[in-house]
Amino acid sequence: MKREFAVIGLGRFGGSVCEELSLEGMKVLAIDKNEHRVNEFKNIASHAVIADSTDEGVLKELGIKNMDHVIVAIGDNIEASILTTVILDDLGVEKITVKAQSDYHAKILHKIGANQVVHPERDMGKRIAHSIISSNILDYLELSDDYSMVEVAASKKMQGKTLVDLNIRAKFGCNVVAIKNGKDINVSPTADYKINYEDTLIVIGADDDISKFEKHYVID
């Protein structure tokens, strides 16, 4: 069953998160007050609507409380960002990630119900999209327009299996370049290396291949 996300605010950051979640096959409800922005995402998100997120009644009608995760990516309107977060928390949304304009804004967001606060000038939309898809995805780094590196915690599907058993390179075209365990790092691990629950895998590959790898082995 696909997880359902809502992205409120379709500026550069919110649009990036919305697009990446959609590319990963997630159901995404895209929300913005600006009709032009909403129209841009009608063919990208599962559903795109023009709406004011500070109106509790509107969010109820959209079924926002049924979403698995809501990302508040409102631009410069801090008041709207805070009020939207309060409403989402009151409605019982399970997970709320909010874009912060400043450290002070971030402190307020944490106090009023945000589970995660991000700074778009420090965090890329693609990286954040991957991190909220699964807690097993620890980091995501773009190496070029088409290639990336992902750092993932060993999922239950991986634990107890060797790299030969997982067959990541043959199945997905990705390469496990290193495995970390605490302070130890194993560069170019051998094929008979057995994965344990404390391991972190560093995988490099084309974006499409990494996406397939994540869906098969990483996302719970």
Side-chain angles (χ1 to χ4, degrees):
M1 185 176 178
K2 290 184 180 179
R3 294 173 64 196
E4 296 188 77
F5 295 84
V7 178
I8 300 174
L10 301 174
R12 183 181 298 176
F13 172 70
S16 174
V17 173
C18 179
E19 186 171 3
E20 192 63 26
L21 288 172
S22 298
L23 287 172
E24 289 296 318
M26 303 296 151
K27 284 187 174 182
V28 184
L29 169 63
I31 302 170
D32 200 290
K33 291 174 66 176
N34 185 298
E35 182 179 0
H36 176 69
R37 287 180 179 173
V38 171
N39 288 335
E40 287 182 344
F41 285 88
K42 280 188 174 177
N43 295 322
I44 296 173
S46 308
H47 192 42
V49 297
I50 304 166
D52 179 0
S53 63
T54 64
D55 187 326
E56 183 174 350
V58 169
L59 292 184
K60 283 182 177 178
E61 286 181 13
L62 290 173
I64 204 81
K65 66 179 180 180
N66 299 319
M67 295 291 162
D68 296 304
H69 199 140
V70 178
I71 299 91
V72 181
I74 294 172
D76 297 330
N77 192 333
I78 291 179
E79 182 180 353
S81 167
I82 291 171
L83 183 54
T84 298
T85 304
V86 169
I87 292 171
L88 293 173
D89 185 54
D90 285 346
L91 291 176
V93 174
E94 186 176 347
K95 289 186 179 179
I96 307 168
T97 294
V98 191
K99 166 186 171 180
Q101 298 297 327
S102 64
D103 289 338
Y104 184 68
H105 184 200
K107 287 180 181 179
I108 295 172
L109 293 171
H110 279 300
K111 289 180 181 294
I112 61 174
N115 303 106
Q116 180 182 11
V117 174
V118 296
H119 298 264
E121 67 277 9
R122 306 174 196 171
D123 305 304
M124 296 163 53
K126 179 176 281 192
R127 176 181 293 181
I128 291 165
H130 281 257
S131 72
I132 63 180
I133 288 171
S134 172
S135 58
N136 289 324
I137 301 175
L138 306 177
D139 202 0
Y140 193 96
L141 177 66
E142 287 183 277
L143 303 176
S144 70
D145 288 341
D146 301 313
Y147 284 82
S148 300
M149 182 185 78
V150 63
E151 189 172 306
V152 301
S155 65
K156 291 181 180 178
K157 295 176 184 176
M158 299 180 190
Q159 293 168 19
K161 295 181 179 178
T162 65
L163 292 178
V164 170
D165 296 330
L166 297 176
N167 209 13
I168 293 170
R169 183 172 184 177
K171 286 182 178 178
F172 310 105
C174 304
N175 289 297
V176 179
V177 296
I179 295 177
K180 295 195 296 185
N181 187 302
K183 294 182 179 180
D184 297 326
I185 183 165
N186 184 344
V187 179
S188 299
T190 58
D192 61 354
Y193 182 91
K194 185 179 286 188
I195 308 295
N196 71 68
Y197 76 99
E198 294 181 329
D199 283 341
T200 297
L201 284 70
I202 299 172
V203 182
I204 288 179
D207 291 343
D208 288 345
D209 294 334
I210 285 180
S211 177
K212 292 172 186 174
F213 159 70
E214 290 175 345
K215 289 174 184 174
H216 188 85
Y217 277 130
V218 182
I219 299 172
D220 295 326

